[in-house]
Amino acid sequence: MGYDEPGRDGPPEPTSAGPATGAEAVVDEPDAEPGRDRFGVYIVWETLLLFGFGALVYLVWREDPAVLRGSGLRELIVDVVGLGLLALAVGLTLRTAAVNLAVGPVAVAAGLHFAEQSDRGLLGTVGTATAVAAIGGLLLGLVVVLLHVPGWAASLGGAAAVVVYIEQRSAPVLVQGDYDPRGTAGQLFVGFAAIAVFGGLFGAVSPIRRLVGRFRPAADPARRRGAAAALVATAGYVCSTVLATLAGVLIASTDGTVSPAAGLDWTVLAVGATLLAGTSAFGLRGGVFGTLLTAGAIGLFLAYARARGWTVSYWAVGGAALAIGLIVTRLVETYGRPLPVLGALPPPPAEPATGGGWSVTQPQPVGDWPPVLPAQPTAGSTDPWGARRWETDPRTWEADDR
């Protein structure tokens, strides 16, 4: 008999209710891996970052104690917050699997705008720059999600457009306003630390993590990931450009002079710091305290280099952080994903496709068993199973009697 069940007219789809196997495991990875990420790898790595941060504090204190107290400490904190905001901008877009490589040029452009217009009022100047950055991030996000193109390629095009704006200046620009963020360095650091830590804690919640990383490609990178993924990726671009703008304002107000540079070295430094913090280059996964510790460690290293009289390029520091960060990405992806379910039964063999649904095909009769002898031929034809001629011919019997 057949087994007709409703709702079984198509192939099964992977869900988050159980482990996915075979080809189904890569169809939709955020849903195909049930359970929470293993955070042991983040605990180990962030502990190592904490040790490195402590070692750099000791080196800076031994070289120049003035850096860690008074005005030197306030200037160091503002530098760390500026770098940390850039790392947060990149980290947010990396978590959404649509990285924004335009954060460096955006920061430089915002610094130039602030330097030229800061004499007209702090709130008005920063508000205008923030609004323009939000609109630019929205346009960039729409390009990525509507065309469904890689975020790095689209943001690189956006960076080129911002560099064109920067190249309209040929000389360094002096900051016209009198705003000095070093007076509120403590408040700025507390705000940055709160955003970094609470953002990491929210990202550790499994439903939020899967929603934020929904844009991460699965089996086919060109396959669209749905409206929720598009909305989250677009919001990530908007927030990242705003954070980059605030970072540029802080850096410009501290330095007092803004040079019209491309700013791609800041992008490399921010990407390297984010990967070094434990955020996966593939998106979706990241730690809690990594961005805070990494921004502080890089800021301390740059201060130590200045105290020693070294000339350190942001390209070199960013490249070194990027190289180590790629190794960290492999560790996070290997030891951070959920454990496989032990003792799971293998999937049942696929049933043959039928015309209508999932009804079992009726078996066809194979005939009688044991087989029946062939039917007798009609009269007039030679019977191969009949008696031999010499057994039935009367003349043969008469000859034998004689």
Side-chain angles (χ1 to χ4, degrees), residues 88 191-204 287-293:
L88 281 179
F192 159 66
I195 295 175
V197 174
F198 281 106
L201 289 175
F202 278 112
V288 177
F289 299 97
T291 302
L292 180 62
L293 293 173

Side-chain angles (χ1 to χ4, degrees), residues 11-225:
E13 297 181 356
T15 62
S16 58
T21 56
E24 295 178 4
V26 295
V27 173
D28 193 358
E29 186 171 359
D31 291 337
E33 292 183 338
R36 298 181 57 182
D37 278 358
R38 292 176 288 169
F39 274 83
V41 62
Y42 301 108
I43 295 175
V44 173
W45 179 244
E46 290 177 1
T47 302
L48 294 177
L49 288 177
L50 181 60
F51 288 153
F53 179 83
L56 286 169
V57 169
Y58 170 74
L59 291 176
V60 172
W61 178 264
R62 191 181 66 174
E63 188 67 29
D64 187 3
V67 176
L68 298 179
R69 58 191 178 193
S71 60
L73 179 60
R74 289 191 291 270
E75 182 175 355
L76 175 62
I77 289 176
V78 174
D79 291 340
V80 168
V81 172
L83 175 60
L85 290 176
L86 285 177
L88 281 179
V90 173
L92 177 60
T93 54
L94 270 181
R95 291 290 287 265
T96 61
V99 63
N100 186 1
L101 298 182
V103 294
V106 167
V108 175
L112 289 170
H113 172 77
F114 177 78
E116 294 171 346
Q117 306 294 331
S118 58
D119 57 342
R120 300 183 179 181
L122 177 63
L123 293 180
T125 304
V126 176
T128 302
T130 302
V132 173
I135 295 174
L138 178 62
L139 294 177
L140 180 59
L142 291 177
V143 169
V144 172
V145 301
L146 292 181
L147 299 180
H148 196 72
V149 293
W152 63 267
S155 62
L156 199 59
V162 177
V163 170
V164 172
Y165 167 80
I166 295 173
E167 289 181 344
Q168 302 303 314
R169 287 89 175 161
S170 57
V173 180
L174 295 175
V175 178
Q176 303 300 313
D178 56 356
Y179 171 68
D180 189 357
R182 288 169 289 193
T184 58
Q187 293 87 331
L188 292 174
F189 180 78
V190 170
F192 159 66
I195 295 175
V197 174
F198 281 106
L201 289 175
F202 278 112
V205 180
S206 183
I208 298 178
R209 173 181 61 82
R210 294 185 179 186
L211 176 62
V212 172
R214 181 75 183 179
F215 203 73
R216 171 170 165 158
D220 184 2
R223 174 185 172 188
R224 295 185 182 274
R225 304 293 291 158

Side-chain angles (χ1 to χ4, degrees), residues 217-292:
D220 184 2
R223 174 185 172 188
R224 295 185 182 274
R225 304 293 291 158
L231 181 61
V232 171
T234 304
Y237 279 116
V238 173
C239 294
S240 66
T241 52
V242 170
L243 290 173
T245 299
L246 296 178
V249 169
L250 284 179
I251 295 172
S253 57
T254 304
D255 295 342
T257 303
V258 182
S259 299
L264 291 176
D265 53 345
W266 282 101
T267 295
V268 173
L269 184 60
V271 173
T274 304
L275 296 181
L276 190 62
T279 304
S280 173
F282 297 102
L284 183 69
R285 296 184 169 90
V288 177
F289 299 97
T291 302
L292 180 62

